[in-house]
C-alpha cells in the first residue's frame, strides 16, 4: 500500500512590492477577496476555494483512516475523564448563588441560580437548547444585574466572534429589548442595573465603539469611539461598584476611561492618557484607586495608589514597589483586603494585604503547579476563592478566609474513569539557551517511564503576547502519558513565565529567541536522556503554530511530527494587510512591515510561510477554522501547499479545516475532544512511522 495522492494546489503567482522589496506569493488566491462576508456567512466562500479545502479534508481523512479506531479510543478515554453532570462551585451574590452545570451527554452547559444556601433552582439559560440546529454555538460573556432582575448573554453562532447579545427578564423568563447584533463578546451592566454597555465590531471584525442602551431595551447611544485601529476595547465595573470602566489597549499600551456609577449616562473621563509602552490597570478600593503598572521602568510591574477623584499619573504613589523577577500578574480588591497574584521563576503565589499594609503569602509545595484567583461577585466579604492544580493533581477549588487564613476545599475535579496521582511524576528542568538564558521545561510522565531516550515526547510551546504556559492538570495529556509518552512544556521567551522581561525578550527585535529557546529545550531533553532526535512531536497553536512553522524550517531533523493548530504562519502577508482584524493591534508585537524596513526584513527572516525551503520536512498536521477571524483559514492552507511543493522528503503534510468553526475549534465540550484525539492520533501514527508502512 502507499499513501493517497495529495491535492495539487495550483500556483497563481502574485508579485508584491513593499518598501523596495519584492516577494512572490503563489497561493494568494486561497484568500477569498470577500472574506469579511465569509466570516458572517461561511456559505459565501468562493467555490474554487471550497473545492480545494474539501479535497484537503478528504485527503487527510484518507491518510489517517488507519488511525480512526485509535482516535475513537483516545476520545473515549478523554471523555471518560469528564464528569458529565458536572457543576461549578456556586458563587454567592446577595440572596442568590450562581453556577454553571452540565447534564449527562450535553455538549453545552446550563446557567442557573438558586437561593443562597439552597432552594429551588432557576435556569437562566440552557445553552444546549439555544444551540439546537446549529453547527456551532458558543457563549462568551454572561452575567446578571446586581439587583438580580436581568440576565444577559453574548452568543457566537459560527465561530467568527461576531456575537449577539440578548437580555432576559428573570421574573417573567422573557427576553426584553431586542437582540444586539455585530457585538463583541464583552458587555457590562451598570451597577444600578439600568443600563447595558456593549461593544460594536466593525466590518473588519474590530471592536471600535462602546454603546449604552437601557437594559430593558431602547436607543443605543455612542459612549466612546476608538479611532486607533491598533487598540482593543473592553468594558467592566470596579470591584466596589463605584465606577464603570472602558478599557483601551494592545500588547504594550493601555488607557482607562471612567464613568461614575452614580451617573451612568455621564461622558467618560480618561484616568491617565495613553503613553506608548506604558501599561496600567486599575480598580477602586473604597476610598482610593489601586493601579498596576509597568511605568517608571517597573518591568515586572508594581502597584500604586491614588486618592484622587481621577487617578492621573501625577497622583500615583508607590504602594507595592517593583522587584525584578517578581512579576505582579494581577490583583483583586475586597472591602477589607487586597489580593495580588505574583509569579516568580514560573511559579505562582498569592499575597493577601490588609488596609494597613500587613500582608501574608498563600504558599504551595509542589515542584510545578498552577494557581488561578476567582474573585466572585461580592466585595464586602473576607472570602476569596482560588483554583490549585498541577500536572499530576486535578483542579481543587478552595475558599480562603483572608482574615483567619483558613482554607476550605470546596471541590476536587472528579475523574470518573479514575486517576492515581502517585503513578505520575512532574519535573521542572532548565535548558540553557545559546545566550545563557535558563528556559524552564515542565515534564509529566509515568514514574516507570524509562529515561533512556526510548519514550516518545510531545513538546508543547507558545511564546507570544506575554501568555504564560501554566503547569496545569489536563485530562487530555494523560492519554499520551499513559501510553508511555513524556508530555513536556517549553516555557520559552515571548511568554511571561519568568516575568514580563521574559516576554520582552521574545518579541519584535528579539522574536528569534522564542524559536531558539524551543530548540534548546528539545536538545536539552535529548541530552538528559528523556528524548531522541526524530521521536519528538512538536505541538503548538495560533501564535504557537507560528513557533511550529519556524522550528520546522530551522531544525526539521529534530521532529518526528509537527502539529500546528490554527497556525499563524503567513506573518509577513498578514502584518501587511491592514484590513485584517488583528493587524494594526499586533504591530507592537511583531513590528509594522508596511512602514518599517527593519520590521519587514525581520519578519521575513522567520515568517514560516516565507521561509519554507527545499529540505525534508517531518510529518505535519495543520488545522484551521473557516470562520476564524484571528488566524484566517488561508494561512494553514497556503503553508501546507508550499510545504508540499518544497519538501524533499516523503513524509505526509496534512491539512484539516473545520468548515463550521473558528479559532477555538468545535464549540461542544465533547466535539472539541474529537479534534484533540485527531491531533494525538496523528502524533502517535507519525512517531511510530505509520506513514512509512501505509
Amino acid at each position: 500500500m502507499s499513501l493517497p495522492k495529495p491535492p495539487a494546489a495550483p500556483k497563481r503567482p502574485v508579485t508584491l512590492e513593499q518598501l523596495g522589496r519584492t516577494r512572490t506569493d503563489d497561493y494568494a488566491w486561497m484568500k477569498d477577496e470577500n472574506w469579511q462576508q465569509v466570516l458572517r456567512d461561511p456559505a459565501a466562500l468562493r467555490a474554487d476555494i471550497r473545492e480545494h479545502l474539501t479535497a484537503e479534508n478528504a485527503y487527510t481523512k484518507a491518510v489517517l483512516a488507519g488511525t480512526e479506531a485509535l482516535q475513537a479510543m483516545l476520545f473515549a478515554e478523554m471523555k471518560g475523564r469528564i464528569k458529565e453532570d458536572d457543576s461549578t462551585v456556586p458563587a454567592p451574590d446577595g440572596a442568590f448563588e450562581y453556577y454553571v452545570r452540565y447534564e449527562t451527554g450535553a455538549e453545552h452547559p446550563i446557567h442557573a441560580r438558586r437561593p443562597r444556601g439552597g432552594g429551588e433552582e432557576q435556569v437562566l439559560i440552557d445553552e444546549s437548547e439555544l444551540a439546537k440546529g446549529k453547527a456551532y454555538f458558543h457563549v462568551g460573556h454572561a452575567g446578571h444585574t446586581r439587583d438580580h432582575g436581568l440576565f444577559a448573554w453574548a452568543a457566537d453562532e459560527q465561530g467568527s466572534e461576531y456575537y449577539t447579545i440578548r437580555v432576559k427578564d428573570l421574573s417573567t423568563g422573557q427576553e426584553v429589548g431586542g437582540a444586539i447584533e455585530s457585538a463583541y463578546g464583552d458587555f457590562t451592566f451598570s451597577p444600578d442595573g439600568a443600563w447595558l454597555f456593549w461593544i460594536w465590531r466593525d466590518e473588519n471584525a474590530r471592536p471600535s465603539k462602546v454603546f449604552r442602551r437601557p437594559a430593558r431595551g431602547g436607543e443605543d447611544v455612542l459612549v466612546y469611539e476608538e479611532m486607533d485601529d491598533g487598540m482593543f476595547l473592553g468594558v467592566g465595573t470596579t470591584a466596589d461598584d463605584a465606577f464603570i470602566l472602558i478599557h483601551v489597549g494592545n500588547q504594550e499600551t493601555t488607557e482607562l476611561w471612567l464613568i461614575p456609577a452614580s451617573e451612568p449616562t455621564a461622558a467618560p473621563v480618561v484616568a491617565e492618557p495613553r503613553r506608548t509602552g506604558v501599561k496600567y490597570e486599575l480598580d477602586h478600593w473604597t476610598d482610593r484607586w489601586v493601579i498596576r503598572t509597568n511605568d517608571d521602568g517597573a518591568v515586572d510591574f508594581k502597584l500604586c495608589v491614588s486618592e484622587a477623584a481621577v487617578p492621573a499619573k501625577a497622583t500615583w504613589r508607590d504602594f507595592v514597589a517593583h522587584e525584578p523577577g517578581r512579576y505582579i500578574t494581577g490583583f483583586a480588591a475586597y472591602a477589607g483586603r487586597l489580593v495580588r497574584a505574583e509569579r516568580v521563576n514560573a511559579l505562582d503565589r498569592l499575597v493577601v494585604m490588609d488596609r494597613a499594609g500587613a500582608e501574608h503569602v498563600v504558599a504551595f509545595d509542589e515542584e510545578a503547579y498552577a494557581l488561578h484567583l476567582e474573585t466572585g461577585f461580592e466585595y464586602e466579604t473576607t472570602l476569596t476563592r482560588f483554583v490549585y492544580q498541577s500536572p499530576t493533581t486535578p483542579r481543587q477549588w478552595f475558599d480562603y478566609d483572608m482574615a483567619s487564613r483558613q482554607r476550605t476545599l470546596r471541590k476536587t475535579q472528579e475523574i470518573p474513569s479514575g486517576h492515581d496521582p502517585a503513578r505520575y511524576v512532574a519535573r521542572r528542568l532548565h535548558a540553557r539557551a545559546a545566550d545563557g538564558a535558563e528556559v524552564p521545561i515542565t515534564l509529566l510522565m509515568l514514574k516507570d517511564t524509562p529515561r533512556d531516550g526510548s519514550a516518545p515526547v510531545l513538546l508543547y510551546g507558545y511564546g507570544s503576547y506575554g501568555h504564560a504556559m501554566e503547569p496545569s492538570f489536563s485530562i487530555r495529556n494523560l492519554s499520551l502519558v499513559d501510553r508511555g509518552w513524556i508530555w513536556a512544556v517549553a516555557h520559552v521567551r515571548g511568554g511571561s513565565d519568568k516575568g514580563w522581561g521574559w516576554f520582552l525578550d521574545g518579541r519584535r527585535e528579539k522574536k528569534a529567541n522564542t524559536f531558539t529557546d524551543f530548540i534548546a529545550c528539545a536538545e536539552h531533553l535529548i541530552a538528559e536522556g528523556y528524548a531522541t532526535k526524530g521521536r519528538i512531536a512538536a505541538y503548538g497553536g495560533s501564535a504557537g503554530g507560528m513557533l511550529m512553522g519556524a522550528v520546522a524550517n530551522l531544525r526539521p531533523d529534530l521532529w518526528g511530527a509537527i502539529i500546528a493548530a490554527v497556525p499563524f504562519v503567513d506573518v509577513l502577508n498578514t502584518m501587511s494587510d491592514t484590513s485584517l482584524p488583528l493587524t494594526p493591534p499586533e504591530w507592537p508585537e511583531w513590528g509594522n512591515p508596511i512602514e518599517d524596513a527593519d520590521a519587514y526584513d525581520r519578519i521575513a527572516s522567520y515568517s514560516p510561510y516565507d521561509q519554507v525551503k527545499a529540505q525534508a520536512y517531518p510529518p505535519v498536521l495543520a488545522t484551521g477554522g473557516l470562520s476564524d477571524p484571528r488566524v484566517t483559514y488561508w494561512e494553514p492552507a497556503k503553508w501546507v501547499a508550499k510545504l508540499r511543493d518544497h519538501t524533499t522528503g516523503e513524509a505526509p503534510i496534512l491539512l484539516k479545516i473545520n468548515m463550521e468553526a473558528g479559532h477555538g475549534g468545535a464549540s461542544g465540550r465533547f466535539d472539541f475532544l474529537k479534534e484533540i484525539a485527531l491531533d494525538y492520533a496523528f502524533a502517535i501514527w507519525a512517531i511510530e512511522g505509520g506513514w512509512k508502512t501505509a
Side-chain angles (χ1 to χ4, degrees):
M1 292 179 63
S2 60
L3 292 173
K5 188 175 180 180
K11 293 182 179 180
R12 302 172 190 167
V14 173
T15 299
L16 302 163
E17 295 185 3
Q18 198 169 321
L19 296 177
R21 290 141 175 83
T22 301
R23 66 185 186 275
T24 299
D25 190 344
D26 289 330
Y27 304 105
W29 63 268
M30 293 187 187
K31 174 187 175 184
D32 193 322
E33 61 277 3
N34 195 30
W35 63 267
Q36 292 99 331
Q37 180 60 30
V38 174
L39 280 183
R40 294 178 177 270
D41 179 14
L45 183 67
R46 208 173 71 213
D48 62 326
I49 301 173
R50 181 175 295 278
E51 181 180 354
H52 177 71
L53 297 181
T54 301
E56 287 282 12
N57 284 346
Y59 171 66
T60 295
K61 183 174 177 61
V63 170
L64 296 179
T67 71
E68 289 181 358
L70 175 59
Q71 291 179 49
M73 186 182 303
L74 291 165
F75 169 71
E77 291 171 5
M78 296 176 196
K79 185 179 179 183
R81 299 188 190 104
I82 293 178
K83 187 177 188 297
E84 292 202 27
D85 56 345
D86 204 2
S87 176
T88 61
V89 179
D93 185 15
F96 293 94
E97 49 188 24
Y98 290 79
Y99 54 96
V100 174
R101 65 175 179 83
Y102 284 90
E103 293 189 335
T104 300
E107 290 277 5
H108 303 278
I110 291 170
H111 298 248
R113 72 181 182 186
R114 64 189 179 214
R116 190 167 186 160
E120 185 177 352
E121 176 183 85
Q122 179 182 7
V123 172
L124 308 175
I125 57 169
D126 182 343
E127 288 190 30
S128 292
E129 283 295 319
L130 297 174
K132 279 185 177 177
K134 301 176 176 70
Y136 183 95
F137 185 84
H138 171 72
V139 169
H141 181 56
H144 61 277
T145 51
R146 301 300 273 166
D147 65 4
H148 308 285
L150 299 175
F151 183 81
W153 68 98
D156 174 8
E157 297 187 0
Q158 57 196 28
S160 66
E161 299 182 39
Y162 278 98
Y163 287 83
T164 300
I165 300 172
R166 291 181 167 85
V167 180
K168 177 187 283 191
D169 183 327
L170 294 179
S171 65
T172 67
Q174 300 301 308
E175 289 186 25
V176 295
I180 301 173
E181 305 286 352
S182 297
Y184 203 48
D186 193 21
F187 65 83
T188 191
F189 286 110
S190 58
D192 64 6
W195 303 93
L196 179 71
F197 291 79
W198 64 278
I199 301 166
W200 178 72
R201 295 194 83 146
D202 65 18
E203 61 277 5
N204 289 329
R206 293 196 192 105
S208 59
K209 297 177 181 179
V210 177
F211 287 93
R212 179 191 69 241
R213 68 157 53 181
R216 292 179 176 272
E219 181 183 358
D220 289 304
V221 175
L222 180 65
V223 175
Y224 177 87
E225 181 173 6
E226 177 54 46
M227 305 307 295
D228 185 345
D229 285 344
M231 292 292 173
F232 295 100
L233 296 178
V235 290
T237 59
T238 56
D240 64 357
D241 282 341
F243 291 86
I244 299 153
L245 303 177
I246 298 174
H247 182 278
V248 185
N250 59 24
Q251 281 85 10
E252 66 176 6
T253 305
T254 51
E255 181 178 79
L256 273 294
W257 291 74
L258 318 174
I259 301 171
S262 59
E263 299 179 69
T265 60
V269 175
V270 68
E272 167 63 16
R274 69 190 72 174
R275 288 175 283 139
T276 300
V278 174
K279 292 176 70 70
Y280 74 93
E281 61 181 280
L282 49 76
D283 206 344
H284 199 251
W285 196 21
T286 306
D287 59 352
R288 71 195 81 167
W289 293 93
V290 179
I291 303 103
R292 172 183 170 269
T293 183
N294 66 344
D295 204 5
D296 302 317
V299 174
D300 284 322
F301 288 76
K302 63 180 179 178
L303 296 185
C304 299
V305 291
S306 169
E307 283 83 16
V310 176
K313 166 66 187 295
T315 71
W316 297 358
R317 56 184 175 84
D318 284 2
F319 184 45
V320 178
H322 173 243
E323 288 184 10
R326 180 193 66 181
Y327 174 37
I328 299 176
T329 60
F331 69 93
Y334 297 90
R337 287 166 181 81
L338 194 77
V339 185
R340 70 177 186 269
E342 302 178 345
R343 183 174 303 128
V344 178
N345 200 23
L347 288 177
D348 295 330
R349 68 186 185 192
L350 300 177
V351 182
V352 179
M353 174 186 290
D354 65 22
R355 294 187 67 84
E359 62 180 42
H360 67 271
V361 176
V362 184
F364 304 88
D365 299 325
E366 287 191 82
E367 187 174 341
Y369 60 84
L371 194 61
H372 174 67
L373 187 65
E374 291 189 352
T375 53
F377 298 118
E378 297 188 316
Y379 182 66
E380 297 281 349
T381 180
T382 62
L383 291 180
T384 189
R385 182 173 293 165
F386 61 80
V387 184
Y388 177 84
Q389 59 187 306
S390 79
T392 62
T393 307
R395 290 169 182 80
Q396 297 175 321
W397 284 259
F398 290 90
D399 279 351
Y400 183 73
D401 191 307
M402 296 176 283
S404 69
R405 306 189 185 185
Q406 181 178 351
R407 302 181 193 184
T408 302
L409 178 62
R410 294 295 307 275
K411 176 184 176 181
T412 297
Q413 180 182 0
E414 185 179 331
I415 312 298
S417 59
H419 174 69
D420 179 7
R423 294 181 61 219
Y424 305 91
V425 60
R427 291 180 181 154
R428 174 59 60 83
L429 310 178
H430 292 87
R432 184 173 293 276
D435 63 357
E438 295 284 337
V439 185
I441 309 170
T442 300
L443 296 184
L444 176 66
M445 55 198 288
L446 290 170
K447 280 188 174 178
D448 58 2
T449 296
R451 186 176 159 182
D452 58 6
S454 63
V457 172
L458 191 144
L459 182 61
Y460 184 87
Y462 187 76
S464 290
Y465 308 119
H467 293 326
M469 294 296 100
E470 296 180 333
S472 56
F473 181 79
S474 170
I475 62 164
R476 305 190 295 270
N477 302 349
L478 295 176
S479 283
L480 287 180
V481 173
D482 285 351
R483 285 173 168 80
W485 282 61
I486 297 173
W487 179 278
V489 176
H491 301 276
V492 296
R493 281 175 282 188
S496 60
D497 307 63
K498 292 180 68 174
W500 199 245
W502 198 245
F503 159 61
L504 298 177
D505 280 345
R507 73 194 288 251
R508 219 154 45 202
E509 294 83 0
K510 299 179 179 180
K511 190 62 209 172
N513 285 339
T514 303
F515 317 136
T516 53
D517 281 1
F518 192 83
I519 290 169
C521 288
E523 291 177 328
H524 184 73
L525 291 174
I526 293 168
E528 293 297 309
Y530 291 101
T532 301
K533 187 167 73 169
R535 285 182 59 77
I536 304 172
Y539 191 17
S542 195
M546 177 191 64
L547 170 59
M548 296 301 101
V551 300
N553 289 330
L554 291 169
R555 287 295 304 277
D557 59 303
L558 279 176
W559 324 111
I562 297 276
I563 306 166
V566 289
F568 179 35
V569 283
D570 194 11
V571 187
L572 187 56
N573 282 321
T574 293
M575 286 297 102
S576 301
D577 186 345
T578 58
S579 74
L580 293 173
L582 295 188
T583 294
E586 304 240 320
W587 284 332
E589 181 83 7
W590 317 106
N592 181 348
I594 301 173
E595 300 178 352
D596 183 345
D598 289 341
Y600 183 104
D601 293 340
R602 183 174 63 252
I603 294 171
S605 74
Y606 67 74
S607 174
Y609 180 64
D610 296 279
Q611 286 299 315
V612 171
K613 52 183 174 287
Q615 58 183 345
Y617 284 91
V620 173
L621 172 64
T623 62
L626 182 60
S627 305
D628 189 346
R630 299 178 184 240
V631 178
T632 48
Y633 72 84
W634 58 83
E635 294 210 25
K638 290 170 60 178
W639 181 52
V640 162
K642 191 170 184 180
L643 283 171
R644 283 209 200 106
D645 184 57
H646 283 73
T647 188
T648 59
E650 300 296 325
I653 297 168
L654 308 178
L655 176 68
K656 175 71 169 67
I657 298 292
N658 189 327
M659 305 296 278
E660 299 175 332
H663 196 65
S667 57
R669 58 172 174 163
F670 302 134
D671 286 343
F672 174 71
L673 291 179
K674 292 177 182 176
E675 297 184 344
I676 302 299
L678 173 67
D679 293 347
Y680 288 7
F682 170 79
I684 294 169
W685 175 80
I687 293 293
E688 292 180 352
W691 58 276
K692 297 177 183 178
T693 58

